[in-house]
Amino acid sequence: MQHASLYRKWRPRKMDQVVGQEPVVRTLRRAIETGRVAHAYLFSGPRGTGKTSTAKVLAMGLNCAEGPTAEPDGTCENCRAIVNNSSLDVVEMDAASNRGIDEIRDLRDRVNLAPVAGRTKVYIIDEVHMLTAEAFNALLKMLEEPPEHVVFVLATTEKHKVLPTIISRCQSFDFRRPSIETLATKLGEISKAEGIAVEPEALTVIAREGRGSFRDAEGLLDQLSSFVEGEITTVVVRELLGSVGPEALLETTHALHERRAADALRIVDRLSNEGRDLGQFVGELLSHLRNLMLLPHAPEVALAGVGAEERAPLEEQANAVPTAEVVRLVEALGDALGRIRRGGDPKLELELTFLKLARDYTEPSVENLMARLERLENAAANGGLTPPAQAPRSQAPVTSPEPATTVERPDTGESREAPAEPRPVETEPAGATESAAEEAGGRRSDVDLAGQWVSIMGELKRRKQALTAAVYGEARVEGFDGSVLKLAFPGDQSFYVGMARDRKHADVLAEVLEERVGSRPRLEVSTGDDLPETVSTAGEAPPGPEALQEPAPRAVVPEPPAREEEPPGAWDGEGPGGTMAGTNGSGPGSPGGGGDGTIRSESEVFEIMRGFGPFGQNGGG
Ligand SMILES: Nc1ncnc2c1ncn2[C@@H]1O[C@H](COP(=O)(O)OP(=O)(O)O)[C@@H](O)[C@H]1O
Ligand SMILES: [Mg+2]
Ligand SMILES: [Zn+2]
């Protein structure tokens, strides 16, 4: 087997071997048959789509001993010389390396000479957009008065860089990128003919990696066949390509969608430990998300590059994850990829992005604020202060209807000066959501920090304190009496507690708080397990030991929680900034909704996050 140049060996020798470019082939065929071949063609399209090959088949058709014919025999002396690149009548010039006027002048001097062996001289000028302006003009001159026996084929991967004056002198053909399926079929033919054993599914993977280029896909097949002993399998191909495979992509997407930051971060850590290229992982994740996004709208497009075995799980995920959510992930990962390409540390960028995606600080939109205002106004007007027993949950926390009891100002900056009037303290109704709980915090204090929590997190993000925001975004404001701010973390987020108590983060938060309340409040951080209601219930595992062993710096004074009546069920709620879908299903008194042993792994993640603590300030926004 001669693998060294599989793609050269498989260069099309006939028009019908040029795959996937039917319009081009049809037109050229007819031109040869009717003797109306143009003097100049412009072949544009991505690399490895058949531009040079087609130019050569055209040259063969024009010069074949049996021709001119659209079906050159490929065996006569002229045809063979063209195939071997030894024909004196077919001149290939690479404008990328011969950009200048000298080459074009040289060409012009020879262009008038008669063909040596055949009927027509064919000049193939590759990457024609690379010519200098001067050379372009000289070429233009030739194109204006081409000698009878000459055909120019100008090829380019960047048609937009070719002067319009040149384009207007040429008959233009756009070569299309073949589909993955077309590529895979071609690869299948080649491997069969060459006796290369390949799993059909692996052909799809190779084809996809070829990114629309026959040449690249064939080159890869070539490498693999000389590399791999025995059958080329999907696993082997992925291994060699450093590709993570569909399972990790599905898993990551699932975790992000369900706001399971710990799980998503664990995947990053695993891949990183395996020595994978995380930038490549982001790229693969993006194309997976793209498929998810397209699937409901254009299934053919979405499934074009997907192997048969991957379809079912992809479809299942597309059904489970709404398009808006996919778009959210795409946008965030696109940003991350941009930062990685500009030199950002891939692991750090990914971790920050995953954390942010799992927290989801949706800023209140104007519509939401208006709706909220309206509700509050109505409530005030009616004097009716009965909250709904169970406020409905929604994707974005800020859209949660406010309980009618909370006749509070909406989240404006106005609360910087503490209002004079103390607000009545009310008892929470059973089953109130965390919205009620947030407001409850506000009601016990002069400044509604609970209500402002989302905007405070937003402020941290604007100050590039994304990690700090990620930490406190998980917290629920228990109460604020003007000097002590009580924060609580749901049981399943308890691995944040240590970080929340860390002076590094506490100081950053305190700075923002100071601007809002006029002084630096003391922080009191507790976990779900500190709550009387949640102690010894639901068999919840204790928080990770690492979290509890975190030294509590002096800035932070943990005090026994002295709170008023605790709303039952509040622990099932979402963090103020979060949309922890899936944590809200359990009944009152069942902390965190998790209790499935995730804590152990979360403390792992806690360790990971501590590892990049010092950098946490740079990756934000
Ligand atoms: N349309 C096609 N049909 C079949 N094989 C192709 C096609 N396009 C490219 N190839 C394969 O890729 C190799 C390089 O193609 P080439 O014509 O040089 O691409 P381009 O000039 O567009 O970069 C060919 O030798 C052939 O093996
Ligand atoms: Mg070429
Ligand atoms: Zn011939």
Side-chain angles (χ1 to χ4, degrees), residues 60 63-67 69 72-80:
M60 281 161 75
N63 287 309
C64 180
E66 303 297 316
T69 169
D73 58 12
T75 51
C76 72
E77 211 168 308
N78 288 350
C79 284
R80 288 213 317 273

Side-chain angles (χ1 to χ4, degrees), residues 6-12 17-21 45-54 126 155 157 175 186 190 213-216 218:
L6 207 50
Y7 83 84
R8 274 202 202 96
K9 183 170 171 192
W10 284 85
R11 193 185 274 292
Q17 290 171 352
V18 178
V19 181
Q21 313 295 354
R47 145 197 169 84
T49 52
K51 301 181 296 297
T52 304
S53 305
T54 306
D126 217 354
T157 50
F175 284 65
K186 175 84 194 184
I190 294 178
S213 166
F214 282 100
R215 178 205 294 245
D216 292 350
E218 290 168 15

Side-chain angles (χ1 to χ4, degrees), residues 578-590:
T579 58
M580 300 291 292
T583 63
N584 55 347
S586 29
S590 150

